Amino acid sequence: MAEAGIGTLLVQLRDDLGWSQQRVADEYNKAEGRSAMTGKEIGRYERESRVPTSRTCSFLAVVFGIEASALDRAASVTKKRKKAGRCSSPSVERVTSPPSRRSLAVDAAASARFSRFVAARNTDAGAVEQLDAEVFTLARQYVSRPLSELYTGIRELRDETFELLRGRQRPRQTLDLYVTAGRLCGLSAHVCLDSGDYSSAMTHARTAWACAEEADHHGLRAWVRSMQSLISFWGGDPRTAAEFARAGQSFPVPGTVSVRLASLEARALGVTGDRRGATAALLRAERARDALQNSDEMPGIFSFPHAKQLTYAGTTYLSLGDRGSVRQAIVSATAAVDLYRGSDADDRSTGDLLAAHLDLARGHMLAGDMEAAETRLTFVLDSPPALLSASILRRLADLGDELGADEYRGSPGIARLRDRIMSTTTATASHR
């Protein structure tokens, strides 16, 4: 191998010390007792655009702690190459020359630092799986237990997931955490919805949507749209509710969310008076149910069992108002009640069971069977106040208003029933 020139030697010496060109210049100036040397000048020597004099080599020898003769020989090699026109570029010499041990050690240290950066995570696959399991439990319990038992757990687990996302994880775990955070925001939205705070509910729903976008999860996107439809419906905007439900149906997803979206659209369109649209949406819901091939990833509030579908259908038929639709509403709501009674306690949606009873009460009222209507209303009024959501209280109040119509006046039984409705709705609402 040809002897190294001055540029290659200077680079190697500097690398061994781990110094910058400016640091070499500073040390040179200390040795010489002046301030004439600069980092740029050291760079010129390393590139061999200039060759240091013998005097300069003597001070550089002091800086690097070597014999000045070694630098003089390297400078002489460079001069000979320049004279012969065979001067190789320093970059080529640096590539062909073996790296020093110091250079290798510095390089390895940089790799080790990155390794520690990669390993410094605030969660792992097991922790993410545990979060998912806890959401599974909360989702199932939500449909059958009072909000007072679940609210704190939902909020704390959601905030914990937010904090994990502010840290570092593997990319796959980050996506899973966004899905978990989105579901927990969805549960938080439901808490607000059932408490009658529609503005806060929509805020949580928007955050859930942002999480679904980050995770690029169609299933969560579709479910969030259904949640936004639900909030809009009870917030008094059925047209927007129908639009959200329709938008959610654009995502190709497995499970029952497609049935849920079509049922939500049907109910919203029924309230707006769009008989044709509501009927078509009910048919889509039935076809989506028949076409189901995969089960839901999450149970409870994230699923849409047949009983719930029948409950929504009953409400939709009632909104259409004609005699035939009222009969169909009674059939659907009765079937829903029967299915819920036959299900496990943890899978029995208390809110939908109460809603089905209220639909039956109103259906029997419209059909002229006040005895049957009173039986269904009594079931709701006898339920623990903690189970009466904002939507159930609103339905009760609406039925109380209907019982105040002229056709029901003069009946002591109906008057007592109406008073009890007013007392229940007023007392329950005042404690929230």
Side-chain angles (χ1 to χ4, degrees), residues 173-216:
Q173 291 167 3
T174 300
L175 295 179
D176 289 342
L177 282 174
Y178 271 118
V179 173
T180 298
R183 287 170 174 160
L184 287 165
C185 286
L187 284 167
S188 297
H190 234 299
V191 169
C192 295
L193 173 69
D194 289 339
S195 302
D197 186 350
Y198 306 121
S199 176
S200 294
M202 192 61 83
T203 296
H204 285 301
R206 292 190 191 99
T207 305
W209 177 260
C211 292
E213 289 283 271
E214 287 298 317
D216 194 21

Side-chain angles (χ1 to χ4, degrees), residues 152-425:
T152 299
I154 292 170
R155 184 193 64 206
E156 290 180 350
L157 196 62
R158 183 201 67 213
D159 291 347
E160 179 184 342
T161 306
F162 285 170
E163 284 304 310
L164 289 174
L165 281 167
R166 291 186 178 102
R168 294 190 60 257
Q169 321 73 39
R170 294 184 186 276
R172 177 66 259 177
Q173 291 167 3
T174 300
L175 295 179
D176 289 342
L177 282 174
Y178 271 118
V179 173
T180 298
R183 287 170 174 160
L184 287 165
C185 286
L187 284 167
S188 297
H190 234 299
V191 169
C192 295
L193 173 69
D194 289 339
S195 302
D197 186 350
Y198 306 121
S199 176
S200 294
M202 192 61 83
T203 296
H204 285 301
R206 292 190 191 99
T207 305
W209 177 260
C211 292
E213 289 283 271
E214 287 298 317
D216 194 21
H217 194 286
H218 282 339
L220 184 56
R221 283 186 179 112
W223 188 86
V224 173
R225 286 298 187 230
S226 74
M227 191 67 226
Q228 291 174 311
S229 174
L230 199 60
I231 297 167
S232 298
F233 181 83
W234 289 111
D237 190 355
R239 295 189 185 280
T240 299
E243 291 172 3
F244 273 127
R246 199 173 299 118
Q249 293 172 67
S250 65
F251 299 105
V253 293
T256 60
V257 67
S258 56
V259 185
R260 174 185 173 101
L261 287 160
S263 298
L264 284 164
E265 183 184 2
R267 187 174 67 174
L269 292 176
V271 170
T272 65
D274 185 351
R275 174 183 293 271
R276 180 178 296 180
T279 303
L282 285 175
L283 182 59
R284 280 201 306 279
E286 292 175 5
R287 289 174 176 170
R289 174 72 61 183
D290 292 339
L292 283 178
Q293 295 181 345
N294 303 101
S295 58
D296 294 299
E297 290 183 34
M298 284 279 163
I301 206 68
F302 294 103
S303 68
F304 199 76
H306 193 202
K308 196 178 186 80
Q309 180 182 355
L310 289 168
T311 301
Y312 277 47
T315 306
T316 303
Y317 284 122
L318 272 181
S319 68
L320 300 180
D322 61 280
R323 186 171 299 178
S325 295
V326 170
R327 285 197 297 269
Q328 186 58 53
I330 293 173
V331 170
S332 295
T334 300
V337 170
D338 291 342
L339 283 175
Y340 275 127
R341 282 176 173 168
S343 62
D344 292 338
D346 282 345
D347 295 323
R348 188 180 304 142
S349 175
T350 303
D352 291 302
L353 181 59
L354 294 174
H357 275 281
L358 289 175
D359 284 341
L360 283 170
R362 186 162 185 269
H364 289 308
M365 282 172 57
L366 294 174
D369 188 350
M370 286 306 302
E371 184 177 349
E374 184 174 354
T375 299
R376 298 296 183 174
L377 271 173
T378 300
F379 176 88
V380 178
L381 294 170
D382 286 343
S383 298
L387 299 180
L388 303 182
S389 66
S391 62
I392 295 300
L393 291 175
R394 180 184 296 186
R395 291 189 185 200
L396 269 174
D398 290 342
L399 277 173
D401 290 342
E402 287 191 52
L403 289 174
D406 290 341
E407 60 186 293
Y408 300 116
R409 290 182 180 177
S411 170
I414 291 178
R416 285 194 297 272
L417 186 62
R418 186 166 183 260
D419 287 342
R420 189 177 176 194
I421 290 173
M422 294 177 65
S423 174
T424 298
T425 55

Side-chain angles (χ1 to χ4, degrees), residues 31-95:
E32 189 183 27
R34 297 171 46 188
S35 301
M37 184 61 69
T38 65
K40 289 183 179 180
E41 186 68 7
I42 296 297
R44 294 187 186 100
Y45 294 151
E46 290 182 357
R47 294 192 300 274
E48 297 186 349
S49 60
R50 292 190 63 179
V51 180
T53 64
S54 180
R55 181 176 183 279
T56 300
C57 285
S58 66
F59 286 111
L60 286 172
V62 174
V63 170
F64 292 119
I66 65 172
E67 293 294 331
S69 59
L71 290 167
D72 286 334
R73 283 196 303 271
S76 179
V77 169
T78 298
K79 289 177 181 178
K80 289 178 181 178
R81 288 176 182 167
K82 283 179 173 289
K83 188 174 181 180
R86 296 185 294 106
C87 185
S88 302
S89 70
S91 60
V92 173
E93 287 194 38
R94 292 182 67 181
V95 171

